[in-house]
Amino acid sequence: MNRFKFTVTALTLAAAMIAGSSEARADFECKDIVYNKRDPIAFKPFPLQHPKTGQKYLPNEEIEVAPGKKMLASQFFDQINDLEQKLNAWGYTLRESGAFTLQDLDECLALLQKQKEAIEKDLDKNPPKPWDLEARKKALEAKWQRYRDKIPTYDELAHKANSDAVKVNLPNPPPFTTPVPQAARVQPKDVMKRRTWNFEEGSKKTFWVAGEASVGIKGSREITAADAYGKFFAGFLGLWDGEVASASALAQSGKDIDTSLKLEVRLVGQTIWSPKFEGGQTKFLHHNDRKSWGVDKGLEWRFAIGPVPCKGRVGFRGEAGVGYGFDIAPTAVGGFAGPFAKADAYAQVGVDIGIAGAGVEADLVLIDDQLTLKGDASFEFVDQPKLELDLSASNKLSALSGKFSAYAYIDYLIDEWRGNWTIWSWEGFNKTWDIFHFKYVWTPTGVRADGDVTAEDVMEIQAQNQELRLVEMENKSNARLHEVMKAAAEDMNGPKATQVLTERARVASLAQGIDGNITTYLQELRKWITS
């Protein structure tokens, strides 16, 4: 009897369907299992005799079905015929030796491709452009004009100084003094920035992985702090899904708090490491290290490959942990946390009947992910106050890469029949990229931000810069007003202004004397005429 092997996988079928169509089917649906059934064939039982030699057996006669393994002939052929009848219903027979793929778990290539495209799209970040400030510019110019309108001109000051309504009496009037304006200042506000990221690939009914990460920074005159966390999730064959590993870090310092660093690592939902370091009286703290632990998660697995009932254990094993490094000072916090997880899928399989066997072929990287999360916050007072925040993240990911299949075989004296179940076969998702980078700087002269800037960041920065510009305009207006008033005071208190006032008083006195003399002369003349 000739042997041959005939294998059709869900991957081949799906690829043929997609390649044969000008566009992807809108009604594509993911199925749990794809069954490779043929047209049923008529059942013909095996008689109680050796299939090759024709030797007949009695029902209670023991026969050796494998080296060191014996069964009663009636039990052996009952199991053979039961499996033969079930295989006939699928269109297969034990009389046709070889290896056959009876069923696949549908990998749903359309879903995997959409997930891959979503992750790729998320890598192409275009920071939003600032809004048009024309209207705001006009409003600021109008306010500046109102400031200018309130400043008196030199002619107005001179007119008031020469007004007749101003009475000049000796001694000289007291000198005019110009008040010195106090410069307005804007204090830095508390700033809290955070960036998050996540991904998902695969299906929970086959193999599935996901991850999420976050970096947060807080900076103010009272406290500086940085926190970060990364989490990795996985699932297999609809039996289990959950957290594989996670790591978090919190570093902080400030005016009324102790310098400290807190770390935590969790594996499969359980906290296994959670230290806390403190700076003590020195207020300075430095720590860096790398920690790793083994991780293993497995569950009992019962399934069937065609008519053959199987049982076993399936899961993943590998290592996970965190690398970290932090430098913490009273007004600055900086460092990185690097959660990582690497796990491969495994399985152990057996059968529930004596004449059959089973096995598994597994070479599947479930997840191999290395996150790097960085955060820095500092507040300086050198020439002027300066608040600076910097946060970034990068990732190196390999997931769902390889093949995972199970098989069952039936040994019936002269030959072996084999059924395959292709559970997973894909090139996987492999990528190294910068997830995000954001930098924020505040000084009294302006606020700026670079990198992955959100719409919220743009609005906040514009509002702060407008406030700083208004304060700058107010200080310039006060300085100009002070210069004008100081110049007027110098003119009013100077020797020339005093001379003008003195001459005016002298002329007034001479005019009054002349008027008095004329009046006296007229009175004397009138007396002489009438005498």
Side-chain angles (χ1 to χ4, degrees), residues 207-228:
F207 291 99
W208 168 81
V209 293
E212 63 182 51
S214 173
V215 182
I217 296 271
K218 181 178 181 180
S220 70
R221 292 174 296 170
E222 302 294 331
I223 184 173
T224 53
D227 69 271

Side-chain angles (χ1 to χ4, degrees), residues 113-126 197-199 201 429 431 433-435 452:
Q113 186 62 30
K114 288 181 180 178
Q115 293 170 334
K116 185 175 181 180
E117 291 173 356
I119 298 176
E120 295 285 357
K121 184 178 180 181
D122 186 57
L123 303 184
D124 183 19
K125 295 181 179 292
N126 292 312
W197 169 79
N198 62 77
F199 77 92
E201 192 70 58
F429 182 83
K431 189 72 175 180
W433 73 100
D434 293 327
I435 301 172
D452 297 320

Side-chain angles (χ1 to χ4, degrees), residues 491-516:
D491 290 340
M492 294 175 66
N493 298 328
K496 291 184 179 180
T498 304
Q499 182 179 0
V500 169
L501 295 175
T502 302
E503 291 297 330
R504 177 184 293 180
R506 185 176 299 172
V507 170
S509 299
L510 291 173
Q512 290 175 359
I514 293 172
D515 289 342

Side-chain angles (χ1 to χ4, degrees), residues 447-460:
V447 185
R448 64 179 177 87
D450 303 314
D452 297 320
V453 181
T454 65
E456 180 183 358
D457 296 326
V458 173
M459 295 176 64
E460 178 183 321

Side-chain angles (χ1 to χ4, degrees), residues 462-475:
Q462 286 183 347
Q464 293 187 16
N465 281 330
Q466 289 165 6
E467 182 181 3
L468 291 171
R469 286 173 60 187
L470 290 175
V471 171
E472 181 183 7
M473 292 170 63
E474 180 181 353
N475 288 333

